[in-house]
Amino acid sequence: MNVIVNKFKEMTYKQIFLYIIIGLCFAASVFFVNHNYSFYERPIAKVIKTTLEDKTEMIDIHDNKDYLFNQLIIAELKNGEEKGRLIHLTNEYSSSGAYDQEYHVGDELFVSIDTNKEENTDLTGTIKDVKRDKHVVIIAWIFIFTLLMVGKKQGLFSIISLAANAVLLSYALDVYLSTSNMSLVVICSVSTILFTVISLLLVNGFNEKTYAAIVATLLGTFISLLITYLVMWLTSENGLRYEEMQFLTHPYRMVFMAGLIVGSLGAVMDVAITMSSSIFGLYEKNNNIPVKALKTSGMEIGKDIMGTMTNILFFAYISGSIPLLILYFKNASALGFTLSMNLSLELARALAGGIGIVLTIPIGLYTSIFFINRKRAKL
């Protein structure tokens, strides 16, 4: 208790004011999502009773077993002309739960109400979706609080940069969809420059360390993109399967290349700022440290983070394919066919990002030394 009191006494009025604002925003957002039924046009019903009607075992030709359940639900309508009335719903769901789910008392559902019913009869309808805004807000606030507790001021700027990048990406995609004569690669390249500059300047401020990280990030990203493009051109893209993009009405190669840029940017940026922070940290501890010592230490740091960063990228891409891999294997597809169909693009993305990470280590090292030498020359 005394620790909390002492911490509170150490706070400035500016910090207290900021925490009060964040607390009010949290309370207001939670209150809003719990009382915002009237803001929705679609009818919302809150489940008050569920009954399991029957259970059926399903076995397909590959001996895969699943269970199908039939659930009767009574729910109370929370908005619209029928607000306050009860509605009877039927829910069919499977134990695998790929496209359906079991509902419980307290769940809130978007429903459609059946029409042309006789008077004085129970309302019936169909479940359309689940109202999840309460859970999304809580998860978002846990993310924000975690960032603020760990990162404090940098955490706040990280949230701002994340929001700015999300808005920027949405705007860039809108520009691409509304202008048929602009390449998505060009749009994403411009966006990448803005993502990098906004994120690093907001989180690390205006200083040589940030400038070195920005230069290293952009060089690492675009050189890896160029190498990937050359490899694809020389190999005529043999082995790449674009089936997952067949529904697109836009050039799928350009969409794939644009995804490579944005996908590898985060990992490359992480390596770049790690390298510049480490090199500048060594210089700030000893302003007379020789360049040779900086190079040796920088390369050792780069080797330490290289393995973990490439693994992060590999697992991030591969994890998205796990559901499809399981689906193919459960349907007795051959191993080679399954991996070729589902992992060719993911592996290409992981390799392109890995090249960017490895290249960024020496680029970040020498860029940081360049800015340090400039700083020394001014002293």
Side-chain angles (χ1 to χ4, degrees), residues 146-156:
T146 306
L147 272 178
L148 291 175
M149 283 190 291
V150 175
K152 295 186 171 54
K153 187 178 177 183
Q154 279 75 16
L156 177 63

Side-chain angles (χ1 to χ4, degrees), residues 1-12 15-16:
M1 189 65 187
N2 289 333
V3 175
I4 297 173
V5 173
N6 290 334
K7 283 281 183 187
F8 185 77
K9 286 180 179 177
E10 290 172 3
M11 289 183 186
T12 63
Q15 287 176 319
I16 294 171

Side-chain angles (χ1 to χ4, degrees), residues 97-111:
Y99 295 103
D100 44 47
Q101 67 180 86
E102 180 185 5
Y103 297 115
H104 303 278
V105 173
D107 288 345
E108 294 176 337
L109 312 172
F110 290 106
V111 299

